[in-house]
Amino acid sequence: MKLINTIFFLIAISIVATSCNKNKIFEQRNDIAQLNWANTDVQTFEVKIPEGVAKYRLKALVRYAKNCPIEGLLIHASIITPNGSNIEEDGQIPIKLNGNNQGEGLGDLWDTETIIADNLELQQAGLMKVSISHSMLRPKVPLIMKVGLLVEKVVN
């Protein structure tokens, strides 16, 4: 049993080490109450931007249960940059395609994402505020477990 635990630990460490993104400056996922995301439940993230005059990629992240009854999740993102500019973006996060769950799955849990801003050029360091809500016709989307944000510095 000890050997199996050691092997599992080494595999987990190697996966984490190889999947680290040096350009990632922020990643956070918020739990959705009762696995039922209401359109009034705006998920807000505050990101410390380390340097200005740089480009960033923002991704909306979603964890959902495999029986989520929708094909795609329509989202709206509001971005307030460190200099106070407001940027509004709409997107769609893939959930199912031809009945198949999209993203990375493990058992009943699936993680998927979409880019909400690519090559967003920020002129100064400071605090950026990103709010993400869904814009589906139904007021609540069932089986959404977490909503998150990933911010990466774009290096050309």
Side-chain angles (χ1 to χ4, degrees):
M1 186 68 173
K2 218 172 195 188
L3 178 61
I4 292 172
N5 287 341
T6 303
I7 291 171
F8 179 77
F9 177 75
L10 292 174
I11 290 172
I13 292 294
S14 67
I15 289 171
V16 169
T18 58
S19 66
C20 287
N21 179 349
K22 291 185 252 181
N23 300 321
K24 178 171 53 174
I25 64 164
F26 179 86
E27 184 173 11
Q28 179 181 321
R29 290 176 176 82
N30 297 342
D31 292 330
I32 299 300
Q34 302 170 346
L35 308 180
N36 210 4
W37 192 18
N39 57 5
T40 56
D41 183 14
V42 178
Q43 299 298 307
T44 302
F45 306 90
E46 292 188 352
V47 182
K48 185 175 188 295
I49 299 298
E51 60 184 277
V53 192
K55 293 182 180 180
Y56 296 90
R57 177 176 299 116
L58 283 64
K59 294 180 182 180
L61 312 172
V62 168
R63 176 168 291 155
Y64 66 96
K66 76 174 186 177
N67 293 327
C68 186
I70 60 174
E71 295 285 320
L73 179 64
L74 300 175
I75 60 164
H76 178 77
S78 177
I79 305 162
I80 300 174
T81 66
N83 71 0
S85 298
N86 189 27
I87 301 166
E88 304 289 326
E89 295 288 344
D90 293 307
Q92 181 173 358
I93 298 177
I95 302 293
K96 291 194 185 335
L97 180 62
N98 298 324
N100 296 316
N101 292 322
Q102 297 299 293
E104 298 291 323
L106 181 62
D108 290 345
L109 306 179
W110 288 80
D111 289 320
T112 187
E113 63 187 38
T114 193
I115 295 173
I116 54 176
D118 202 10
N119 290 315
L120 175 64
E121 189 169 340
L122 300 178
Q123 298 301 314
Q124 68 186 52
L127 192 64
M128 177 173 66
K129 185 175 176 181
V130 180
S131 299
I132 300 174
S133 58
H134 81 74
S135 52
M136 302 291 287
L137 291 177
R138 60 175 69 185
K140 293 184 178 182
V141 180
L143 300 178
I144 301 296
M145 303 173 76
K146 291 182 181 278
V147 173
L149 177 70
L150 172 67
V151 179
E152 304 168 311
K153 183 177 176 188
V154 176
V155 179
N156 292 332

